[in-house]
Every structure is written in C-alpha cells, then in structure tokens.
C-alpha cells in the first residue's frame, strides 16, 4: 500500500463513507478496490437536514476508531493532506461551496450524488473544475450496478429503443423532488440512453411519480418513483428484438465497489468514466422534472 494514493473524505453524514473506506482500506475485503487509502476526513453535516446532522457523529467515530482515519476541522485541511478527494456530503446544497474551497488545491475530486440541486450550481462546479484543471466526476452508484452493466453489454437483441426504470422516491424537503432518491433511477436511464433528453412530462400523486422523458433521437424513457409498495430499484431495457430485465440485486458485488473501480482511475489521472456534460444534463433533467411535477406541463431541457 506504500504507493497507494492518500484519499480524503469531506462529509461524514452518509453510509457511503464507511462503505468506500472499507473497500479501499481493507485488503482482505472480498471486493477490495486497490490503489488508494482513506487517511483523512472532515465531518461536516447540515444542521437543518436531520438525515445529515444526526449521522455525523456515528460515522466520524467509525472512521477514526475502526479505520484510523485522521479527523480534521476544515475541508481545506483534507485537500492539503490528500492526493484525491471524495466529496461525500449528503446535502447537495453544500457541494458548490465546499468544492470552491478545495478547487484551488488542484486535486481530483469525486462528488457524490447529487452533484448539485440546481443546474446553475452544477455549471459553476464545472467552471471551477475547468479553471483549476481538476479531474472531476459525479454519479449515483446505481449507474454501475453489475446487473445494468451486463444488460448494456449484451446486444444480442439489437439496438436499444427505450427504457423503463423504477425505484423508491422519498421526498426530502432540503433536496427538492427527485434530487434525493429519484436521482438513482434517473442515472440508470442516462446510463442506457445517454445525455440528449429534450423534454420531460411528470404525472404525480401522493404515492407515485412517473417521468416520461423524450430523447433527441425519438427514444422514450420512463422513470417511476414509488412512495408506496415496491421499494426496490430495477429497469427494463427495450431493444429492437426484445426486452431485458435489469436485476440490480442479482450480484453479490456491491454497487460501491463497481463505482470505486471507476473512481480510482480518475484519481490516478486516467480520466473520468462519465463526460461531465452528461452529469450536468442529469441535474437539468431533474430540475425540469421537478418543474413539471409542480405545474403538470411538459418542460424542455
């Protein structure tokens, strides 16, 4: 591990931080991802967001006491003491502010979902990354679920003509509409169809939401969000000669390991697995869907 990158974490208010740290730091883990070790972290936390602030102490204690991670009192200290950064703050509202503080250090950064909760913030993050020459990537781990990756690689039934995806759709007031859990299902759709969605139309009631997205080439996707009944993720990918069910639970390998296998090369200077313009398009898709959810109209991206 002597050549391993020193990785810093910003934001200890999500279970992702313990999952990532175990996969990186524990070489005996069945799905260990080599190449980096988490060595430093800043707890953070958003006082007005219960699912953030209530979890900080527990995850901070775990990383410090069980993994030997150094806990520091600023995001800048993380940037100084690391070669690469996992910006894990669960509150998408704080990502631009935190990224702006660490960008001048020039370290590669993975920003956990959501990148931001407005497309304007997303564009500002992109501008800062370009200004400082920083390699940056942001995505939900569901994009790299092995069940989805395998279906996308299996083209026996011809070209993809559409996709219907579903997942839990809890509403968090601080993370508007689909920015909280809805983003996972949206990322799956973008993994299948790419970034060129032109408009969205939403139907909603107390229990469910359905987004219909229209792509520039005429393909159509649906994103179904459930607040009642089925609380799992999945999708059906439609091809010219048949449809394929995506079972994201069929594999023992955790999504986080599959995601880290894309993040470590980013940290090593080998480039991002996703074009950042696609990540901005995901944020804009959600923003437009939130607007349609409120006014019932079709909203152009």
């Amino acid at each position: 591990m002597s050549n391993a990158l020193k990785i810093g974490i910003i934001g200890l208010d999500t279970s992702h931080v313990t999952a990532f740290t175990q996969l990186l730091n524990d070489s005996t883990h069945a799905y260990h991802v080599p190449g980096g070790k988490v060595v430093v972290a800043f707890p953070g936390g958003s006082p007005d967001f219960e699912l953030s602030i209530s979890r900080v102490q527990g995850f901070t204690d775990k990383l410090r006491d069980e993994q030997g991670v150094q806990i520091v009192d600023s995001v800048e200290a993380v940037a100084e003491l690391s070669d690469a950064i996992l910006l894990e703050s669960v509150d998408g509202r704080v990502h631009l502010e935190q990224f702006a503080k660490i960008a001048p250090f020039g370290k590669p950064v993975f920003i956990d979902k959501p990148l931001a909760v407005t497309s304007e913030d997303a564009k500002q993050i992109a501008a800062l990354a370009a200004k400082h020459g920083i390699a940056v990537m942001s995505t939900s781990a569901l994009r790299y679920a092995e069940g989805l990756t395998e279906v996308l690689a299996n083209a026996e039934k011809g070209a993809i003509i559409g996709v219907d995806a579903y997942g839990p759709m809890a509403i968090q007031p601080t993370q508007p509409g689909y920015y909280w859990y809805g983003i996972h299902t949206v990322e799956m759709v973008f993994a299948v169809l790419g970034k060129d969605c032109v408009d969205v139309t939403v139907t909603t009631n107390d229990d469910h939401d359905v987004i219909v997205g229209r792509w520039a080439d005429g393909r159509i996707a649906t994103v179904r969000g459930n607040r009642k009944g089925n609380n799992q993720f999945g999708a059906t990918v439609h091809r010219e000669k048949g449809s394929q069910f995506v079972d994201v639970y069929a594999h023992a390998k955790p999504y986080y390991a599959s995601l880290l296998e894309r993040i470590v090369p980013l940290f090593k200077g080998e480039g991002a697995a996703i074009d950042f313009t696609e990540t901005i398009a995901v944020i804009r898709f959600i923003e437009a869907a939130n607007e349609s959810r409120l006014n019932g109209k079709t909203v152009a991206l």
Side-chain angles (χ1 to χ4, degrees):
M1 287 293 287
S2 56
N3 308 340
L5 293 166
K6 292 181 291 183
I7 296 174
I9 295 180
I10 291 170
L12 303 182
D13 52 359
T14 167
S15 60
H16 297 191
V17 302
T18 48
F20 282 152
T21 302
Q22 286 166 355
L23 287 161
L24 289 163
N25 290 20
D26 181 3
S27 60
T28 67
H29 194 291
Y31 297 100
H32 171 59
V33 180
K37 184 176 182 181
V38 176
V39 298
V40 61
F42 167 70
S46 298
D48 66 341
F49 187 2
E50 178 62 21
L51 281 174
S52 163
I53 200 66
S54 66
R55 304 172 87 189
V56 173
Q57 193 60 55
F59 290 129
T60 300
D61 291 345
K62 271 183 174 292
L63 258 64
R64 182 189 58 237
D65 301 340
E66 295 176 17
Q67 298 287 346
V69 174
Q70 179 183 355
I71 305 301
V72 294
D73 60 4
S74 71
V75 297
E76 292 90 345
V78 171
E80 284 175 1
L81 295 169
S82 60
D83 302 314
I85 300 162
L86 294 166
L87 203 170
E88 291 297 313
S89 298
V90 78
D91 184 354
R93 297 173 301 172
V94 305
H95 288 174
L96 173 58
E97 178 190 353
Q98 292 180 333
F99 185 74
K101 290 177 179 176
I102 62 176
F105 292 85
K107 309 289 174 72
V109 181
F110 172 77
I111 303 174
D112 216 325
K113 63 82 204 163
L115 169 68
V117 295
T118 68
S119 59
E120 183 53 42
D121 274 14
K123 289 173 185 173
Q124 287 191 47
I125 289 171
L128 280 166
K131 176 183 175 183
H132 295 283
I134 296 169
V136 63
M137 188 172 105
S138 177
T139 183
S140 155
L142 265 292
R143 176 184 282 264
Y144 295 117
E146 294 298 314
L148 178 58
T149 301
E150 287 186 0
V151 164
L152 293 179
N154 178 4
E156 288 179 6
K157 294 183 178 179
I160 293 169
I161 59 171
V163 58
D164 300 312
Y166 60 86
M169 177 53 199
I171 300 292
Q172 265 299 329
T174 65
Q175 314 293 299
Y178 301 102
Y179 283 116
W180 183 236
Y181 256 68
I183 191 170
H184 293 300
T185 318
V186 172
E187 286 270 9
M188 291 171 68
V189 165
F190 271 69
V192 177
L193 295 187
K195 65 184 178 182
D196 296 319
C197 182
V198 293
D199 59 41
V200 295
T201 311
V202 173
T203 300
T204 182
N205 61 30
D206 288 347
D207 297 328
H208 312 284
D209 288 84
V210 176
I211 311 171
V212 178
R214 207 163 53 92
W215 262 248
D217 57 12
R219 294 183 297 176
I220 290 173
T222 63
V223 177
R224 180 182 183 88
N226 298 315
R227 284 176 292 282
K228 182 180 182 180
N230 182 13
N231 200 41
Q232 293 192 314
F233 293 101
T236 302
V237 174
H238 303 292
R239 293 183 182 267
E240 290 174 313
K241 301 172 188 173
S243 299
Q244 300 160 296
F245 176 62
V246 176
D247 183 355
V248 301
Y249 304 102
H251 293 260
K253 185 178 182 179
Y255 322 136
Y256 301 123
S258 303
L259 175 54
L260 276 173
E261 286 171 355
R262 275 79 174 184
I263 293 174
V264 171
L266 172 87
F267 286 173
K268 290 182 172 180
E270 296 170 17
I274 312 166
D275 188 318
F276 207 64
T277 58
E278 180 168 334
T279 303
I280 294 172
V282 167
I283 300 304
R284 175 58 194 145
F285 179 100
I286 294 171
E287 188 172 61
N290 284 347
E291 186 181 334
S292 178
R293 188 173 190 268
L294 293 175
N295 65 25
K297 298 176 182 177
T298 297
V299 177
L301 271 66

